[in-house]
Amino acid sequence: MPPPSSGGIALISMLNMMEPMFFDSVGWHSAQHIQMLAEVEKRAYADRSVWLGDSDFFEVPQEKLLSTAYAARRMADYDSLSVTPSDSIYPLNDRELADIQIETHESEETTHFSVVDKWGNAVSVTTTLNWSFGSYVTVEGYGFLLNNEMDDFSSKPGEPNSFGLIGNDANAIEPKKRMLSSMTPTILTRDGKVVLVVGAPGGSTIITTVLQVINNMVDFGMPVHDAVNVPRFHHQWRPDVIYYGPGAISHETMLVLRNMGYEFEPRYGYGEVNAISRDKIFGGWIGAPDLKTASHGAAY
Ligand code: DON
């Protein structure tokens, strides 16, 4: 529960403080167990005394208190073998709180996010710098990077770009022309209602990644988590090979396909899918991040 209760923030901050602790070998209500919780609780309640109140009257630093950086800072003086007396645990002061840097993850290259609100409105967004840190040029005073999107143009007919994609006149460089992208932010509807919001980074593999998530769900009946997290493969015409992720194609299947004339090449990294799908049974929404990556889902 959010302010004016301290419950939600204190609970989550304590769970964050407990995150690095191992409970497997700790007996329930053993001295060790009680020491672990007591040390966490003291620290959370110390900050409760100063930093929590009705947020209509007091600016509660909610984001900070809920961050893992805060938990790490708060537990910096924790020792699993000793007691820190309450007299030496102070609420963090303004400066100490300000020094806590909240970690935000932003992809170095292409980012996809999917959103659905409580009314079922959906947004599917992909944005790209092309390669990591784009052109490495930051706009002074604004702090954002310029892309290196010129690579998405076809520099010469038949000449592959950095993703191995071939292009021609349609995608030749011309003044004021925009380069051909593979970004595929997608919303699937059934009877006018959103059933899937999906997209991914991954250069040339973006399109086949989204294709396979849809194919997995619609034609193979997979729940969205499986549809996103099963391994994938990819063919982009040139080179004439099937790229495959770890575990995507069994040895036997590959033998059959090799006999048919297909060539294979292992490849890592097939986009970080971020999908949301309607739960068929309960009717709510399920966020399905690609668990192999830094993606994550959240509900508010
Ligand atoms: O728009 C495109 O197709 C490329 N700029 C995408 C590049 C990309 O996804 C790289 N990151 N994973």
Side-chain angles (χ1 to χ4, degrees):
M1 183 170 176
S5 178
S6 59
I9 292 179
L11 176 68
I12 292 173
S13 67
M14 288 192 290
L15 290 171
N16 283 339
M17 291 182 217
M18 288 156 67
E19 189 69 39
M21 295 175 165
F22 286 98
F23 286 88
D24 289 0
S25 53
V26 173
W28 183 78
H29 281 200
S30 61
Q32 178 75 69
H33 182 197
I34 291 167
Q35 189 265 0
M36 290 160 109
L37 262 60
E39 292 303 308
V40 162
E41 290 167 2
K42 275 188 261 188
R43 287 164 173 79
Y45 277 71
D47 281 334
R48 180 189 189 280
S49 73
V50 166
W51 292 111
L52 293 175
D54 182 351
S55 49
D56 284 347
F57 291 79
F58 177 81
E59 205 176 315
V60 174
Q62 179 165 312
E63 253 193 300
K64 290 252 162 145
L65 298 175
L66 294 178
S67 70
T68 49
Y70 161 78
R73 162 68 186 78
R74 216 36 291 202
M75 293 298 277
D77 58 352
Y78 169 74
D79 174 0
S80 62
L81 297 175
S82 65
V83 179
T84 317
S86 290
D87 273 352
S88 51
I89 296 178
Y90 299 98
L92 295 187
N93 61 33
D94 290 320
R95 197 197 185 95
E96 287 166 329
L97 204 69
D99 281 349
I100 293 169
Q101 296 301 319
I102 301 177
E103 203 182 297
T104 50
H105 171 77
E106 185 175 340
S107 165
E108 298 153 6
E109 35 199 36
T110 305
T111 303
H112 176 84
F113 60 90
S114 302
V115 185
V116 177
D117 72 10
K118 62 179 172 184
W119 296 285
N121 298 304
V123 185
S124 185
V125 177
T126 313
T127 173
T128 185
L129 280 173
N130 204 37
W131 283 108
S132 292
F133 299 103
S135 59
Y136 307 120
V137 176
T138 314
V139 179
E140 227 176 293
Y142 294 93
F144 61 86
L145 284 158
L146 297 180
N147 62 52
N148 66 331
E149 273 294 312
M150 289 301 282
D151 176 63
D152 275 342
F153 273 122
S154 167
S155 59
K156 207 157 64 161
E159 189 67 32
N161 75 351
S162 65
F163 294 100
L165 291 168
I166 309 286
N168 267 288
D169 280 354
N171 189 33
I173 299 171
E174 287 179 63
K176 302 203 170 163
K177 192 169 173 184
R178 289 165 298 171
M179 54 293 287
L180 187 67
S181 169
S182 298
M183 292 186 284
T184 319
T186 302
I187 298 174
L188 251 69
T189 62
R190 185 178 291 131
D191 304 324
K193 295 226 160 79
V194 173
V195 291
L196 177 68
V197 190
V198 60
S204 56
T205 68
I206 294 174
I207 311 169
T208 56
T209 292
V210 171
L211 172 79
Q212 283 169 87
V213 173
I214 295 172
N215 183 225
N216 291 342
M217 284 186 72
V218 175
D219 301 307
F220 290 91
M222 285 186 201
V224 66
H225 269 287
D226 294 346
V228 164
N229 284 292
V230 288
R232 291 183 273 276
F233 58 91
H234 168 79
H235 201 310
Q236 61 180 49
W237 177 54
R238 295 272 192 261
D240 191 359
V241 292
I242 295 178
Y243 295 107
Y244 63 99
I249 306 173
S250 73
H251 188 61
E252 294 73 26
T253 305
M254 213 177 279
L255 276 180
V256 172
L257 291 166
R258 276 212 168 100
N259 281 335
M260 288 168 70
Y262 286 108
E263 309 238 351
F264 291 90
E265 212 173 287
R267 179 163 170 173
Y268 296 91
Y270 277 85
E272 296 180 24
V273 182
N274 278 304
I276 301 176
S277 146
R278 190 141 193 93
D279 187 300
K280 280 190 192 145
I281 299 166
F282 300 108
W285 295 100
I286 302 172
D290 214 319
L291 298 173
K292 296 177 293 301
T293 66
S295 303
H296 72 274
Y300 300 92

